[in-house]
Amino acid sequence: MLSLVAILPARAILIDNTWNLAASNALARDFANFPSFAATGEVGITEGVGAATTSFTGTGVLIANDWVLTAAHNWTDNAVTALTFTVGGTLYTGNLAQRFQHPLWNMAPAPPNATVGISQGWDIALFRLTAPVAGITPAQIYTGSNELNSQVYTLGFGRTGNGSTPTGTVTGTLHAISNTIDRATSQTSGGFSGGQLFYDFDNGATLGNTLATAGLPDNGAFNTTLATAGTIFGTTSATTQVSNGAIIEGGTAQGDSGGPTFILDGGAYKVAGITSWGINPATDYGTTGLYGDVTAVTRVSENSAWINSVLVPEPATGIMMMLAGMILGIVLRRRPSGRWPQFAPVE
């Protein structure tokens, strides 16, 4: 996943109960039963120019014909020189003039360099493509409030492991895992709502059931996040591993940042979360790919108003354009000579 280790990589791993990654890959591409999964693609980010150029990969999801939803931490604010989105085997170019990180995201560094703070509830971004994606139906975003205790599916292009061995290299293939949401947070600031969803990577017994453990020994980073995250929902943690055929529960890893977490709603799988960060309190931040890893995803339902404000023009803009059209029509009807009125262009 993203090599943005110093910025805030997502953590944890993917696993299935046969240790057969092909099964995880197959689930990610089971479009017959999960048509929304087809909207998931790989995000390419280039920052800097010349010898200072650095390239990263992350994950994103198409939510309109030409808009990709991803994590805000996938790029720094002003350094991006190229964005791409590869989905359905086709590479699309991002419009650098139309990329938006949530205004309350503050690029918090990863622990242990600094505690993960309140801005994680707004680790979300959108960028527009220079051409619409053909042949793929965009995923819908989830706007409900029933994420807690729900089974979800998370997709990404990140590293893989098996719960006992740390994550390896990025495979370049799309994976899918399942889990149960154990915690949800809701917060507000400056007129924006935000929040996160959390799940841990269990082994089916007591090992790995991090979110059922009091006093997480993580140098305060995880506890600080929950303490500053506004309202916290959920006090327990699922101990039974969730599964879907050969797939057993897992978590996210480097490379999965920005990837979608899907929840079933009204017969369709909708985007409920965007992979943000993670930690393993038992081993501190430095180890990944082990039971006990906690994944945090940005809560889409709490950010849906901001998402829609980017995708849909402000009502005032539409009204002004309508009024300008009405005025123009009246003037034209009063100018039988056919001479074009000298109006300044409407922006």
Side-chain angles (χ1 to χ4, degrees), residues 66-331:
D66 55 354
W67 283 97
V68 176
L69 185 65
T70 188
H73 79 258
N74 274 353
W75 66 76
T76 53
D77 191 21
N78 297 313
V80 180
T81 53
L83 276 175
T84 61
F85 183 63
T86 302
V87 65
T90 302
L91 184 147
Y92 295 85
T93 302
N95 183 340
L96 295 182
Q98 291 189 285
R99 57 183 175 88
F100 304 92
Q101 294 168 307
H102 194 287
L104 294 184
W105 168 247
N106 70 4
M107 294 301 295
N113 301 315
T115 56
V116 176
I118 192 171
S119 76
Q120 299 313 129
W122 294 289
D123 184 9
I124 198 163
L126 283 159
F127 67 92
R128 195 170 193 173
L129 304 174
T130 57
V133 173
I136 294 178
T137 302
Q140 301 177 63
I141 62 172
Y142 178 71
T143 58
S145 58
N146 295 318
E147 302 98 328
L148 189 63
N149 300 320
S150 294
Q151 181 177 353
V152 295
Y153 294 90
T154 298
L155 276 65
F157 287 87
R159 301 169 185 258
T160 59
N162 60 29
S164 300
T165 303
T167 55
T169 59
V170 176
T171 64
T173 57
L174 184 63
H175 311 294
I177 56 92
S178 190
N179 215 307
T180 301
I181 300 298
D182 295 314
R183 295 285 187 282
T185 68
S186 177
Q187 59 196 89
T188 58
S189 180
F192 292 102
S193 62
Q196 297 174 289
L197 304 173
F198 298 88
Y199 54 79
D200 54 18
F201 182 21
D202 299 305
N203 73 334
T206 56
L207 180 64
N209 197 20
T210 304
L211 290 172
T213 303
L216 301 175
D218 65 337
N219 294 330
F222 186 71
N223 287 329
T224 298
T225 296
L226 291 182
T228 59
T231 305
I232 303 170
F233 303 95
T235 57
T236 61
S237 177
T239 57
T240 302
Q241 287 184 316
V242 297
S243 63
N244 177 59
I247 306 300
I248 212 163
E249 78 173 48
T252 56
Q254 291 185 341
D256 295 325
S257 283
T261 292
F262 289 97
I263 190 172
L264 184 62
D265 177 52
Y269 281 92
K270 300 177 182 179
V271 182
I274 292 296
T275 300
S276 177
W277 68 283
I279 196 168
N280 192 316
T283 58
D284 204 355
Y285 186 80
T287 302
T288 64
L290 302 176
Y291 293 120
D293 283 353
V294 176
T295 289
V297 302
T298 307
R299 193 175 181 185
V300 167
S301 63
E302 293 286 348
N303 284 280
S304 60
W306 175 78
I307 292 170
N308 288 324
S309 74
V310 175
L311 299 183
V312 180
E314 291 293 328
T317 301
I319 293 172
M320 291 300 295
M321 292 179 68
M322 180 182 67
L323 290 175
M326 292 173 61
I327 294 170
L328 178 60
I330 294 172
V331 172

